[in-house]
Amino acid sequence: MAGRARSHRRPGRAHRVRPVERRPVPRGGRRDGRSRHDHRLAGVDDAGGRGPRGPAPPLRRAGHRGGRSHHRDRPDGDLRGRPRPHDGWRARAGPRGTRGPRNGPLDHPGNRTHPTPRDRPARCARDRDQPTRRRRRGTGRRAQYHAPPAQRRPLAQLPRSPDGDRRSDHRSRRRGCPHRGHRDDRQDPPRVPDPLARHGGGAFRVSWWETADAEDDGEFDEFDEDSIRTRPNPKGSRPRTKQRPEHKDARTARVLSVDRGRYLVLLGEGTADERELTATRASELRRKSVVTGDQVDLVGDVSGDEGTLARIVRIRERSTLLRRSADDTDQVERVIVANADQMVVVVAAANPEPRARLVDRYLVAALDAGIRPILCITKTDLADPTEFLENFAGLDLDVVTSGSGGIPVDEITERLIGHSTVFVGHSGVGKSTLVNALVPEAGRAIGRVNEVTGRGRHTSSSTESYRVRAAAGSGWVIDTPGVRSFGLGHVDPANILKAYTDLAEIAEGCPRGCTHLPDAPDCAIAEAVERGELGEGGAARLDSFHRLLQSVVSAPKLGE
Ligand SMILES: Nc1nc2c(ncn2[C@@H]2O[C@H](COP(=O)(O)OP(=O)(O)OP(=O)(O)O)[C@@H](O)[C@H]2O)c(=O)[nH]1
Ligand SMILES: [Mg+2]
C-alpha cells in the first residue's frame, strides 16, 4: 500500500518513510548513563529504587555515614521507603492526581507558598468566634493570605461631589469585620427623611407587587407579561426633544439641606401654609448642582405627606454663590452655599491655633462673592485674641468674641436677623456650638478637639440651614463642615479691589495695568497712603489689602 501510494504522490518530507534504525543507547545521559528504557529493562525505577527483579543495594543518603536510614528501606522494593535525594531537599507531593515526587528546596519561611499561622495576620474577635471554614477536600491548600490593598491617592486630589456632603468615613475597614474602622465620634444623622422608609426600611416595595396574581389559578398563564416581546425603538430608548415643559404651576421653595440626592425644602416660607418636604431633582437640571440656600421651583407631590417626593425642576437665579476649590491648583469648584449675604468666619483663640492666612482666604472668598464678612473669635477663655486681631486692624471688619463669659447669643442674633448667614471655619473651632446656642432645636453634633494635634474631628458633614428667631424678626444660619483648605483658584483679583471701596476710587488714578501690589510702580494707592490721605490707619489698611491680593495672585488660576 505504501509503495503504491508513493507511486502517485511526490515524496515529501512528511510522507517519506525511513527504515527504523536501531542504535546503541548512549551512556551518560542519566544518573548511571543508562536510558529510561534500559532502567525499565533492568528493573530500576526512576527514583533510583530497585524493582523486584534485582537485589536491593543498601540505601544511603548524602551525609549519612552508613547503616540504615531512619526511613524504612524496604528490601522488597516498595517505594514508600525511598530515600531523600540529598540533605536540604525534601520530596514533596507531585502535581495533583499524581504520586510522583517533586523535589524542591527545603521548606523555610521565605520559600513557603502559603503563610504559617505565625505569618498570617491575627484574626479579629468576631472571626475568632466563628468556626473555621472547612477546606475543600483534596486540594491540600490553606486559605491564601491576601496582601493589603495598595496605598490610596491623597484625598485632596480625589474628585468630590459638588455638594460636598455626606462624605463617607475613609478610614480603613476590613471587609466583613464591623469592629474595625469605627468612628468613636458622634456624627450628625441625615436630616432629610427617607420618603421610602414607610415601605419597609431601605427595601422599596410597590403596592402592585403582591396583588391578585398571587391568587391566580393559572387560567391565564399563557398570557404572562414576561412573554410580551416589544420592538426596540430604532432611534433610541427614549424620544429626544429640546422642548421642556414650562412647569407653570411650579412652586418656589428654599433648600434647607442636601443628602445623597434628596433635598429637604421649605415651601411657603413665612405663610400659614409653610411646610417642609422632601424633593428630588429632575433630570432636566442636568449637571446643575442644587445647594443649601437655593431657591428652587417644585412640581409633583408638594403635599409634604409622609412618603411623598416632590421634583425640583428649576433653580432660581442666585444672588450670591460661595465657592471654594479644594486647593489653589484644583480645577473643580465646590459650591458651599447659595444666596448667603453674610459670612461669619469662626476662629478659635486657641485649640486649634488661629491662622491669619486661612482667615485671609475666607475673607477673599467672601469679598469675591459679594458677601459681608464678620469675624467671630471663640474660646477666648483659653487664650487672649488681642494679638491675633492686630492682623486685621486695617479691615473694616465686624468682630465678635465668645467664650470667656459664655456665648453672646443676643449680640450675634442681632446681626443675623433679616440675613442669611453662613458659618465657616476650621474643624473644631466651635461653629456647631454657636449654632446650637443660637437655634436650640438645631441639635447639631458637637465634636472634640484632638488634644495632641489640636485638630477637630470633622464632626459636621453636611451643610444645613436653621431659622433663628428673635423679637425683631428672623434670619437663617447655615452650619457648614470644617474644611482643611480653602482654595482660591476661582477668584478674580479685581473683585478684591471692588470690596475696598475707598481704595477702588483712588485706584482709578493708577497707570494702566497696575497690579496694586507692593512692587507696582507709580501705584496711586501707595502714593495716597504715603501722603496720609487715608488717615492714621491708612498704612495698616493698605497692608491688609496687599496681603489679600497676594493670596489670590499667588494662587494659580483655574485651567493654568
Ligand atoms: N473652651 C471652649 N471650648 C469650646 C468653645 N466653643 C466650642 N468649644 C468646644 O470645641 C469643640 C468643637 O466644637 P464644635 O462645635 O463641634 O466645632 P465645629 O467647628 O462645629 O467642628 P466641625 O463640625 O468638625 O467643623 C467642642 O468640644 C466644644 O465644646 C468655647 O468657647 N470655649
Ligand atoms: Mg460642626
Side-chain angles (χ1 to χ4, degrees), residues 100 142 213 229 233 248 264 279 358 389 407 424 477 488 520 554:
R142 289 193 181 183
D213 287 355
R229 296 280 176 267
N233 182 352
K248 283 184 181 168
L264 182 70
L358 184 67
L389 284 172
I407 298 171
V424 296
V477 290
L488 299 173
S554 58

Side-chain angles (χ1 to χ4, degrees), residues 140-164:
R141 287 188 195 148
R142 289 193 181 183
Q144 289 274 315
Y145 167 58
H146 296 284
Q151 206 173 1
R152 294 197 218 167
R153 281 194 298 161
L155 278 175
Q157 294 174 18
L158 289 173
R160 292 195 188 125
S161 110
D163 300 328

